Short mmCIF file of all heavy atoms in Angstrom, two decimals:
data_model
loop_
_atom_site.label_atom_id
_atom_site.label_comp_id
_atom_site.label_asym_id
_atom_site.label_seq_id
_atom_site.Cartn_x
_atom_site.Cartn_y
_atom_site.Cartn_z
N MET A 25 104.99 -25.36 61.89
CA MET A 25 106.17 -24.76 61.30
C MET A 25 106.59 -23.53 62.11
O MET A 25 107.78 -23.32 62.35
CB MET A 25 105.87 -24.39 59.84
CG MET A 25 107.06 -23.94 59.08
SD MET A 25 108.20 -25.31 58.88
CE MET A 25 109.38 -24.60 57.81
N LYS A 26 105.62 -22.73 62.53
CA LYS A 26 105.95 -21.54 63.32
C LYS A 26 106.62 -21.92 64.62
O LYS A 26 107.52 -21.24 65.09
CB LYS A 26 104.69 -20.72 63.58
CG LYS A 26 104.16 -19.96 62.40
CD LYS A 26 102.98 -19.11 62.81
CE LYS A 26 102.42 -18.35 61.64
NZ LYS A 26 101.29 -17.50 62.03
N GLY A 27 106.15 -23.01 65.22
CA GLY A 27 106.72 -23.47 66.49
C GLY A 27 108.17 -23.90 66.31
O GLY A 27 109.02 -23.62 67.18
N GLN A 28 108.49 -24.56 65.23
CA GLN A 28 109.85 -24.99 64.98
C GLN A 28 110.77 -23.77 64.76
O GLN A 28 111.88 -23.73 65.28
CB GLN A 28 109.90 -25.89 63.75
CG GLN A 28 109.30 -27.25 63.98
CD GLN A 28 109.27 -28.09 62.72
OE1 GLN A 28 109.43 -27.57 61.61
NE2 GLN A 28 109.08 -29.38 62.89
N ILE A 29 110.29 -22.81 64.02
CA ILE A 29 111.08 -21.61 63.77
C ILE A 29 111.31 -20.85 65.08
O ILE A 29 112.43 -20.38 65.34
CB ILE A 29 110.41 -20.73 62.71
CG1 ILE A 29 110.43 -21.43 61.35
CG2 ILE A 29 111.06 -19.36 62.62
CD1 ILE A 29 109.66 -20.75 60.27
N ALA A 30 110.28 -20.78 65.92
CA ALA A 30 110.42 -20.09 67.19
C ALA A 30 111.43 -20.80 68.09
O ALA A 30 112.24 -20.16 68.77
CB ALA A 30 109.07 -20.00 67.88
N SER A 31 111.41 -22.13 68.09
CA SER A 31 112.35 -22.90 68.91
C SER A 31 113.77 -22.71 68.43
O SER A 31 114.69 -22.52 69.24
CB SER A 31 112.00 -24.39 68.86
OG SER A 31 110.71 -24.61 69.41
N VAL A 32 113.99 -22.75 67.15
CA VAL A 32 115.33 -22.55 66.58
C VAL A 32 115.82 -21.13 66.88
O VAL A 32 116.96 -20.92 67.25
CB VAL A 32 115.33 -22.83 65.06
CG1 VAL A 32 116.64 -22.40 64.43
CG2 VAL A 32 115.08 -24.32 64.81
N HIS A 33 114.93 -20.16 66.76
CA HIS A 33 115.29 -18.79 67.06
C HIS A 33 115.72 -18.64 68.51
O HIS A 33 116.71 -17.96 68.82
CB HIS A 33 114.10 -17.86 66.75
CG HIS A 33 114.40 -16.42 67.01
ND1 HIS A 33 114.06 -15.80 68.18
CD2 HIS A 33 115.00 -15.50 66.23
CE1 HIS A 33 114.46 -14.55 68.12
NE2 HIS A 33 115.03 -14.32 66.95
N LEU A 34 114.98 -19.27 69.41
CA LEU A 34 115.33 -19.20 70.83
C LEU A 34 116.70 -19.82 71.09
O LEU A 34 117.53 -19.25 71.80
CB LEU A 34 114.26 -19.93 71.65
CG LEU A 34 114.52 -20.03 73.15
CD1 LEU A 34 114.53 -18.64 73.78
CD2 LEU A 34 113.48 -20.90 73.80
N LEU A 35 116.96 -20.99 70.51
CA LEU A 35 118.26 -21.65 70.70
C LEU A 35 119.40 -20.80 70.13
O LEU A 35 120.47 -20.67 70.76
CB LEU A 35 118.26 -23.04 70.05
CG LEU A 35 117.42 -24.09 70.79
CD1 LEU A 35 117.35 -25.37 69.96
CD2 LEU A 35 117.99 -24.37 72.16
N LEU A 36 119.19 -20.24 68.98
CA LEU A 36 120.23 -19.39 68.39
C LEU A 36 120.48 -18.14 69.22
O LEU A 36 121.63 -17.69 69.39
CB LEU A 36 119.86 -19.00 66.96
CG LEU A 36 119.95 -20.14 65.93
CD1 LEU A 36 119.43 -19.66 64.58
CD2 LEU A 36 121.38 -20.64 65.81
N THR A 37 119.43 -17.57 69.78
CA THR A 37 119.57 -16.39 70.64
C THR A 37 120.36 -16.73 71.88
O THR A 37 121.25 -15.98 72.29
CB THR A 37 118.18 -15.85 71.03
OG1 THR A 37 117.44 -15.56 69.84
CG2 THR A 37 118.30 -14.60 71.88
N ILE A 38 120.06 -17.87 72.49
CA ILE A 38 120.80 -18.30 73.69
C ILE A 38 122.28 -18.53 73.33
O ILE A 38 123.16 -18.08 74.06
CB ILE A 38 120.18 -19.58 74.27
CG1 ILE A 38 118.79 -19.26 74.85
CG2 ILE A 38 121.07 -20.20 75.33
CD1 ILE A 38 117.99 -20.49 75.24
N CYS A 39 122.53 -19.20 72.24
CA CYS A 39 123.93 -19.45 71.83
C CYS A 39 124.67 -18.16 71.56
O CYS A 39 125.82 -18.00 71.97
CB CYS A 39 123.96 -20.35 70.59
SG CYS A 39 123.41 -22.02 70.90
N LEU A 40 124.02 -17.23 70.90
CA LEU A 40 124.66 -15.95 70.59
C LEU A 40 125.01 -15.19 71.88
O LEU A 40 126.11 -14.63 71.99
CB LEU A 40 123.74 -15.10 69.71
CG LEU A 40 124.29 -13.73 69.32
CD1 LEU A 40 125.54 -13.89 68.48
CD2 LEU A 40 123.24 -12.95 68.58
N GLN A 41 124.11 -15.19 72.84
CA GLN A 41 124.37 -14.50 74.09
C GLN A 41 125.55 -15.13 74.83
O GLN A 41 126.38 -14.44 75.43
CB GLN A 41 123.14 -14.51 75.00
CG GLN A 41 122.03 -13.62 74.50
CD GLN A 41 122.43 -12.17 74.42
OE1 GLN A 41 123.10 -11.65 75.31
NE2 GLN A 41 122.05 -11.51 73.34
N HIS A 42 125.62 -16.45 74.82
CA HIS A 42 126.73 -17.13 75.47
C HIS A 42 128.07 -16.82 74.78
O HIS A 42 129.08 -16.64 75.42
CB HIS A 42 126.51 -18.65 75.52
CG HIS A 42 125.59 -19.06 76.63
ND1 HIS A 42 125.99 -19.09 77.94
CD2 HIS A 42 124.30 -19.44 76.62
CE1 HIS A 42 124.97 -19.47 78.69
NE2 HIS A 42 123.94 -19.69 77.90
N LEU A 43 128.05 -16.75 73.46
CA LEU A 43 129.27 -16.44 72.74
C LEU A 43 129.68 -14.99 72.95
O LEU A 43 130.86 -14.68 73.08
CB LEU A 43 129.08 -16.72 71.25
CG LEU A 43 128.98 -18.20 70.88
CD1 LEU A 43 128.63 -18.34 69.41
CD2 LEU A 43 130.27 -18.93 71.19
N LYS A 44 128.70 -14.08 73.00
CA LYS A 44 129.01 -12.67 73.21
C LYS A 44 129.64 -12.44 74.59
O LYS A 44 130.59 -11.68 74.73
CB LYS A 44 127.73 -11.83 73.12
CG LYS A 44 127.33 -11.41 71.76
CD LYS A 44 126.04 -10.63 71.90
CE LYS A 44 125.87 -9.60 70.85
NZ LYS A 44 124.59 -8.88 71.02
N ASN A 45 129.08 -13.08 75.60
CA ASN A 45 129.51 -12.85 76.97
C ASN A 45 130.65 -13.79 77.39
O ASN A 45 131.13 -13.71 78.51
CB ASN A 45 128.34 -13.00 77.92
CG ASN A 45 127.27 -11.99 77.65
OD1 ASN A 45 127.55 -10.87 77.22
ND2 ASN A 45 126.02 -12.35 77.87
N ARG A 46 131.04 -14.67 76.49
CA ARG A 46 132.10 -15.65 76.75
C ARG A 46 131.85 -16.46 78.02
O ARG A 46 132.74 -16.67 78.85
CB ARG A 46 133.45 -14.98 76.79
CG ARG A 46 133.85 -14.36 75.48
CD ARG A 46 135.25 -13.82 75.54
NE ARG A 46 135.59 -13.17 74.29
CZ ARG A 46 136.31 -13.73 73.35
NH1 ARG A 46 136.76 -14.93 73.48
NH2 ARG A 46 136.57 -13.07 72.24
N ARG A 47 130.60 -16.85 78.19
CA ARG A 47 130.26 -17.69 79.34
C ARG A 47 130.13 -19.14 78.88
O ARG A 47 129.78 -19.43 77.75
CB ARG A 47 128.92 -17.27 79.93
CG ARG A 47 128.96 -15.91 80.58
CD ARG A 47 127.71 -15.62 81.33
NE ARG A 47 126.52 -16.02 80.57
CZ ARG A 47 125.30 -15.67 80.89
NH1 ARG A 47 125.08 -14.90 81.92
NH2 ARG A 47 124.28 -16.07 80.16
N THR A 48 130.42 -20.04 79.81
CA THR A 48 130.25 -21.45 79.50
C THR A 48 128.96 -21.92 80.14
O THR A 48 128.50 -21.37 81.14
CB THR A 48 131.42 -22.28 80.04
OG1 THR A 48 131.51 -22.08 81.44
CG2 THR A 48 132.72 -21.86 79.38
N LEU A 49 128.40 -22.95 79.58
CA LEU A 49 127.19 -23.53 80.17
C LEU A 49 127.58 -24.28 81.43
O LEU A 49 128.60 -24.95 81.48
CB LEU A 49 126.53 -24.48 79.16
CG LEU A 49 125.97 -23.84 77.90
CD1 LEU A 49 125.48 -24.91 76.96
CD2 LEU A 49 124.85 -22.90 78.26
N SER A 50 126.78 -24.15 82.45
CA SER A 50 127.06 -24.85 83.69
C SER A 50 125.94 -25.83 84.00
O SER A 50 124.77 -25.57 83.73
CB SER A 50 127.22 -23.85 84.84
OG SER A 50 126.02 -23.13 84.99
N TYR A 51 126.32 -26.94 84.58
CA TYR A 51 125.37 -27.98 84.92
C TYR A 51 124.80 -27.65 86.30
O TYR A 51 125.55 -27.47 87.26
CB TYR A 51 126.08 -29.35 84.93
CG TYR A 51 125.18 -30.48 85.32
CD1 TYR A 51 124.14 -30.88 84.50
CD2 TYR A 51 125.37 -31.17 86.51
CE1 TYR A 51 123.30 -31.90 84.86
CE2 TYR A 51 124.55 -32.20 86.87
CZ TYR A 51 123.52 -32.57 86.03
OH TYR A 51 122.69 -33.61 86.39
N LEU A 52 123.50 -27.54 86.41
CA LEU A 52 122.87 -27.14 87.65
C LEU A 52 122.71 -28.28 88.65
O LEU A 52 122.55 -28.04 89.83
CB LEU A 52 121.50 -26.53 87.35
CG LEU A 52 121.52 -25.26 86.50
CD1 LEU A 52 120.12 -24.82 86.17
CD2 LEU A 52 122.29 -24.17 87.18
N GLY A 53 122.75 -29.50 88.19
CA GLY A 53 122.63 -30.64 89.08
C GLY A 53 121.27 -31.31 88.94
O GLY A 53 120.31 -30.75 88.46
N SER A 54 121.22 -32.54 89.41
CA SER A 54 120.01 -33.31 89.25
C SER A 54 118.91 -32.90 90.22
O SER A 54 117.73 -33.13 89.95
CB SER A 54 120.31 -34.80 89.43
OG SER A 54 120.83 -35.03 90.73
N ASN A 55 119.25 -32.29 91.33
CA ASN A 55 118.24 -31.91 92.31
C ASN A 55 118.09 -30.38 92.38
O ASN A 55 117.67 -29.86 93.40
CB ASN A 55 118.57 -32.48 93.67
CG ASN A 55 119.92 -32.04 94.18
OD1 ASN A 55 120.70 -31.46 93.44
ND2 ASN A 55 120.20 -32.30 95.44
N TYR A 56 118.38 -29.70 91.33
CA TYR A 56 118.31 -28.23 91.29
C TYR A 56 116.90 -27.73 91.58
O TYR A 56 116.71 -26.84 92.39
CB TYR A 56 118.77 -27.72 89.93
CG TYR A 56 118.51 -26.25 89.72
CD1 TYR A 56 119.27 -25.30 90.37
CD2 TYR A 56 117.47 -25.82 88.89
CE1 TYR A 56 119.03 -23.93 90.18
CE2 TYR A 56 117.22 -24.47 88.72
CZ TYR A 56 118.00 -23.54 89.37
OH TYR A 56 117.74 -22.20 89.20
N LEU A 57 115.90 -28.32 90.94
CA LEU A 57 114.53 -27.85 91.12
C LEU A 57 114.02 -28.10 92.54
O LEU A 57 113.31 -27.27 93.10
CB LEU A 57 113.60 -28.51 90.10
CG LEU A 57 113.84 -28.09 88.65
CD1 LEU A 57 112.91 -28.85 87.72
CD2 LEU A 57 113.65 -26.60 88.47
N GLU A 58 114.41 -29.23 93.13
CA GLU A 58 114.01 -29.52 94.50
C GLU A 58 114.61 -28.51 95.47
O GLU A 58 113.94 -27.99 96.35
CB GLU A 58 114.44 -30.93 94.89
CG GLU A 58 113.71 -32.02 94.11
CD GLU A 58 114.34 -33.39 94.32
OE1 GLU A 58 115.30 -33.49 95.08
OE2 GLU A 58 113.86 -34.33 93.68
N GLU A 59 115.90 -28.21 95.28
CA GLU A 59 116.57 -27.23 96.15
C GLU A 59 115.97 -25.84 95.96
O GLU A 59 115.78 -25.10 96.93
CB GLU A 59 118.06 -27.18 95.86
CG GLU A 59 118.81 -28.42 96.31
CD GLU A 59 120.28 -28.36 95.97
OE1 GLU A 59 120.74 -27.34 95.44
OE2 GLU A 59 120.95 -29.37 96.19
N LYS A 60 115.63 -25.49 94.74
CA LYS A 60 115.03 -24.19 94.46
C LYS A 60 113.68 -24.06 95.14
O LYS A 60 113.36 -23.03 95.74
CB LYS A 60 114.88 -23.99 92.94
CG LYS A 60 114.34 -22.66 92.56
CD LYS A 60 114.29 -22.50 91.06
CE LYS A 60 113.69 -21.17 90.68
NZ LYS A 60 113.57 -21.00 89.24
N GLN A 61 112.89 -25.14 95.10
CA GLN A 61 111.57 -25.10 95.74
C GLN A 61 111.71 -24.98 97.25
O GLN A 61 111.00 -24.20 97.89
CB GLN A 61 110.79 -26.36 95.39
CG GLN A 61 109.39 -26.37 95.99
CD GLN A 61 108.61 -27.60 95.65
OE1 GLN A 61 109.15 -28.56 95.10
NE2 GLN A 61 107.34 -27.61 95.97
N ILE A 62 112.66 -25.70 97.85
CA ILE A 62 112.88 -25.62 99.29
C ILE A 62 113.33 -24.21 99.67
O ILE A 62 112.84 -23.64 100.65
CB ILE A 62 113.90 -26.68 99.74
CG1 ILE A 62 113.29 -28.08 99.60
CG2 ILE A 62 114.37 -26.41 101.16
CD1 ILE A 62 114.28 -29.19 99.80
N ASN A 63 114.23 -23.62 98.89
CA ASN A 63 114.70 -22.26 99.17
C ASN A 63 113.55 -21.25 99.08
O ASN A 63 113.47 -20.34 99.90
CB ASN A 63 115.83 -21.87 98.24
CG ASN A 63 117.12 -22.59 98.55
OD1 ASN A 63 117.31 -23.07 99.66
ND2 ASN A 63 118.01 -22.69 97.58
N GLU A 64 112.68 -21.42 98.09
CA GLU A 64 111.55 -20.50 97.94
C GLU A 64 110.59 -20.64 99.13
O GLU A 64 110.07 -19.64 99.63
CB GLU A 64 110.82 -20.76 96.63
CG GLU A 64 111.59 -20.28 95.42
CD GLU A 64 110.89 -20.59 94.12
OE1 GLU A 64 109.81 -21.22 94.13
OE2 GLU A 64 111.44 -20.21 93.07
N GLU A 65 110.38 -21.87 99.58
CA GLU A 65 109.50 -22.08 100.74
C GLU A 65 110.10 -21.44 101.98
O GLU A 65 109.38 -20.81 102.76
CB GLU A 65 109.28 -23.58 100.97
CG GLU A 65 108.40 -24.22 99.90
CD GLU A 65 108.34 -25.73 100.03
OE1 GLU A 65 108.99 -26.29 100.94
OE2 GLU A 65 107.61 -26.35 99.24
N LEU A 66 111.40 -21.58 102.17
CA LEU A 66 112.04 -20.97 103.34
C LEU A 66 111.96 -19.44 103.29
O LEU A 66 111.73 -18.78 104.30
CB LEU A 66 113.50 -21.42 103.44
CG LEU A 66 113.72 -22.90 103.77
CD1 LEU A 66 115.20 -23.25 103.71
CD2 LEU A 66 113.14 -23.23 105.14
N LYS A 67 112.11 -18.87 102.09
CA LYS A 67 111.99 -17.43 101.94
C LYS A 67 110.57 -16.97 102.28
O LYS A 67 110.38 -15.93 102.92
CB LYS A 67 112.34 -17.00 100.51
CG LYS A 67 113.82 -17.04 100.21
CD LYS A 67 114.07 -16.61 98.77
CE LYS A 67 115.52 -16.79 98.40
NZ LYS A 67 115.76 -16.45 96.99
N MET A 68 109.56 -17.73 101.84
CA MET A 68 108.18 -17.38 102.14
C MET A 68 107.90 -17.45 103.64
O MET A 68 107.23 -16.57 104.21
CB MET A 68 107.22 -18.29 101.39
CG MET A 68 107.10 -17.99 99.92
SD MET A 68 105.81 -18.95 99.13
CE MET A 68 106.79 -20.25 98.42
N ILE A 69 108.45 -18.46 104.30
CA ILE A 69 108.27 -18.61 105.74
C ILE A 69 108.91 -17.43 106.48
O ILE A 69 108.32 -16.84 107.39
CB ILE A 69 108.84 -19.96 106.23
CG1 ILE A 69 107.96 -21.10 105.73
CG2 ILE A 69 108.95 -19.98 107.75
CD1 ILE A 69 108.53 -22.48 105.95
N GLU A 70 110.11 -17.06 106.08
CA GLU A 70 110.79 -15.93 106.70
C GLU A 70 110.00 -14.63 106.48
O GLU A 70 109.89 -13.80 107.39
CB GLU A 70 112.21 -15.78 106.18
CG GLU A 70 113.16 -16.85 106.65
CD GLU A 70 113.27 -16.87 108.18
OE1 GLU A 70 113.37 -15.79 108.79
OE2 GLU A 70 113.27 -17.97 108.73
N PHE A 71 109.45 -14.46 105.30
CA PHE A 71 108.66 -13.27 104.99
C PHE A 71 107.44 -13.20 105.91
O PHE A 71 107.12 -12.15 106.47
CB PHE A 71 108.23 -13.29 103.53
CG PHE A 71 107.29 -12.17 103.15
CD1 PHE A 71 107.77 -10.89 102.97
CD2 PHE A 71 105.94 -12.42 102.99
CE1 PHE A 71 106.91 -9.85 102.64
CE2 PHE A 71 105.07 -11.38 102.65
CZ PHE A 71 105.57 -10.11 102.47
N LEU A 72 106.74 -14.34 106.07
CA LEU A 72 105.54 -14.35 106.92
C LEU A 72 105.90 -14.12 108.38
O LEU A 72 105.17 -13.44 109.11
CB LEU A 72 104.82 -15.69 106.75
CG LEU A 72 104.12 -15.87 105.42
CD1 LEU A 72 103.57 -17.29 105.31
CD2 LEU A 72 103.02 -14.86 105.23
N LYS A 73 107.06 -14.64 108.83
CA LYS A 73 107.50 -14.40 110.20
C LYS A 73 107.79 -12.92 110.43
O LYS A 73 107.47 -12.37 111.49
CB LYS A 73 108.73 -15.23 110.53
CG LYS A 73 108.43 -16.70 110.75
CD LYS A 73 109.67 -17.47 111.13
CE LYS A 73 109.37 -18.93 111.38
NZ LYS A 73 110.57 -19.70 111.73
N LYS A 74 108.38 -12.25 109.43
CA LYS A 74 108.65 -10.82 109.55
C LYS A 74 107.35 -10.03 109.64
O LYS A 74 107.31 -8.96 110.25
CB LYS A 74 109.47 -10.32 108.37
CG LYS A 74 110.92 -10.75 108.42
CD LYS A 74 111.68 -10.23 107.23
CE LYS A 74 113.11 -10.76 107.21
NZ LYS A 74 113.84 -10.30 106.03
N LYS A 75 106.30 -10.54 109.00
CA LYS A 75 105.01 -9.85 109.02
C LYS A 75 104.24 -10.13 110.32
O LYS A 75 103.17 -9.57 110.52
CB LYS A 75 104.15 -10.28 107.83
CG LYS A 75 104.70 -9.84 106.49
CD LYS A 75 104.61 -8.35 106.36
CE LYS A 75 105.11 -7.89 105.01
NZ LYS A 75 105.04 -6.47 104.85
N GLY A 76 104.76 -11.00 111.18
CA GLY A 76 104.14 -11.25 112.47
C GLY A 76 103.37 -12.55 112.58
O GLY A 76 102.74 -12.81 113.61
N TYR A 77 103.37 -13.36 111.57
CA TYR A 77 102.69 -14.64 111.63
C TYR A 77 103.58 -15.68 112.29
O TYR A 77 104.80 -15.62 112.21
CB TYR A 77 102.31 -15.13 110.22
CG TYR A 77 101.29 -14.27 109.53
CD1 TYR A 77 101.68 -13.27 108.66
CD2 TYR A 77 99.94 -14.47 109.77
CE1 TYR A 77 100.73 -12.48 108.04
CE2 TYR A 77 99.00 -13.66 109.16
CZ TYR A 77 99.40 -12.68 108.29
OH TYR A 77 98.47 -11.89 107.67
N SER A 78 102.96 -16.64 112.97
CA SER A 78 103.74 -17.73 113.54
C SER A 78 103.54 -18.96 112.65
O SER A 78 102.42 -19.33 112.32
CB SER A 78 103.29 -18.02 114.97
OG SER A 78 101.95 -18.41 115.00
N ILE A 79 104.61 -19.52 112.27
CA ILE A 79 104.59 -20.65 111.34
C ILE A 79 105.06 -21.90 112.08
O ILE A 79 106.10 -21.87 112.76
CB ILE A 79 105.53 -20.40 110.13
CG1 ILE A 79 105.24 -19.06 109.48
CG2 ILE A 79 105.47 -21.54 109.13
CD1 ILE A 79 103.89 -18.97 108.85
N GLY A 80 104.32 -22.98 111.95
CA GLY A 80 104.69 -24.24 112.58
C GLY A 80 104.29 -25.38 111.67
O GLY A 80 103.59 -25.22 110.69
N PRO A 81 104.76 -26.57 112.00
CA PRO A 81 104.41 -27.72 111.17
C PRO A 81 102.93 -28.07 111.29
O PRO A 81 102.32 -27.86 112.35
CB PRO A 81 105.28 -28.85 111.72
CG PRO A 81 105.59 -28.43 113.11
CD PRO A 81 105.59 -26.94 113.11
N SER A 82 102.36 -28.52 110.22
CA SER A 82 100.96 -28.95 110.27
C SER A 82 100.94 -30.46 110.06
O SER A 82 101.64 -31.02 109.24
CB SER A 82 100.13 -28.25 109.19
OG SER A 82 100.60 -28.64 107.92
N TYR A 83 100.13 -31.10 110.86
CA TYR A 83 100.03 -32.54 110.80
C TYR A 83 98.67 -32.88 110.20
O TYR A 83 97.65 -32.84 110.87
CB TYR A 83 100.19 -33.16 112.17
CG TYR A 83 101.51 -32.83 112.79
CD1 TYR A 83 101.60 -31.84 113.78
CD2 TYR A 83 102.68 -33.46 112.40
CE1 TYR A 83 102.84 -31.51 114.33
CE2 TYR A 83 103.89 -33.15 112.94
CZ TYR A 83 103.96 -32.19 113.92
OH TYR A 83 105.18 -31.86 114.46
N GLN A 84 98.68 -33.18 108.93
CA GLN A 84 97.43 -33.50 108.23
C GLN A 84 97.49 -34.94 107.79
O GLN A 84 98.54 -35.42 107.32
CB GLN A 84 97.24 -32.60 107.02
CG GLN A 84 97.08 -31.16 107.35
CD GLN A 84 96.95 -30.30 106.11
OE1 GLN A 84 97.15 -30.79 105.01
NE2 GLN A 84 96.62 -29.05 106.29
N GLN A 85 96.37 -35.62 107.94
CA GLN A 85 96.30 -36.99 107.49
C GLN A 85 95.68 -37.01 106.09
O GLN A 85 94.73 -36.29 105.81
CB GLN A 85 95.44 -37.85 108.42
CG GLN A 85 96.08 -38.04 109.79
CD GLN A 85 95.21 -38.90 110.67
OE1 GLN A 85 94.05 -39.13 110.37
NE2 GLN A 85 95.79 -39.38 111.74
N THR A 86 96.26 -37.81 105.25
CA THR A 86 95.70 -37.95 103.91
C THR A 86 95.03 -39.30 103.80
O THR A 86 95.41 -40.26 104.46
CB THR A 86 96.83 -37.84 102.84
OG1 THR A 86 97.80 -38.85 103.09
CG2 THR A 86 97.44 -36.46 102.88
N ALA A 87 94.02 -39.33 102.99
CA ALA A 87 93.24 -40.57 102.83
C ALA A 87 93.93 -41.51 101.89
O ALA A 87 94.67 -41.23 101.06
CB ALA A 87 91.84 -40.26 102.34
#
């Protein structure tokens, strides 16, 4: 029961914020998470390059 109340509270809070700010919900796309992961990996690679590490592809064989 507590879980249901918490879920409803969360949904109502989100709806209230959207109504207050007059924002519409936007569709992020079907590959949003994949693009986000790729962007995060690229940011990490750039960070390591700035720190002086050399980053290259690794060729590992899996069993």
Side-chain angles (χ1 to χ4, degrees):
M25 189 66 173
K26 286 184 181 182
Q28 290 176 343
I29 293 173
S31 297
V32 170
H33 181 264
L34 177 64
L35 288 173
L36 288 175
T37 303
I38 292 170
C39 291
L40 180 63
Q41 290 299 318
H42 280 285
L43 290 173
K44 275 179 150 179
N45 298 328
R46 296 185 183 260
R47 292 189 317 192
T48 58
L49 294 174
S50 60
Y51 179 68
L52 298 175
S54 60
N55 58 350
Y56 170 74
L57 292 177
E58 294 168 2
E59 289 178 5
K60 183 177 177 182
Q61 182 180 10
I62 291 170
N63 288 338
E64 287 178 359
E65 290 173 358
L66 292 174
K67 286 180 186 177
M68 285 187 262
I69 290 171
E70 289 300 317
F71 174 77
L72 290 173
K73 285 183 179 179
K74 287 180 184 177
K75 294 291 182 180
Y77 293 96
S78 61
I79 308 295
S82 64
Y83 300 102
Q84 296 178 350
Q85 292 181 347
T86 58

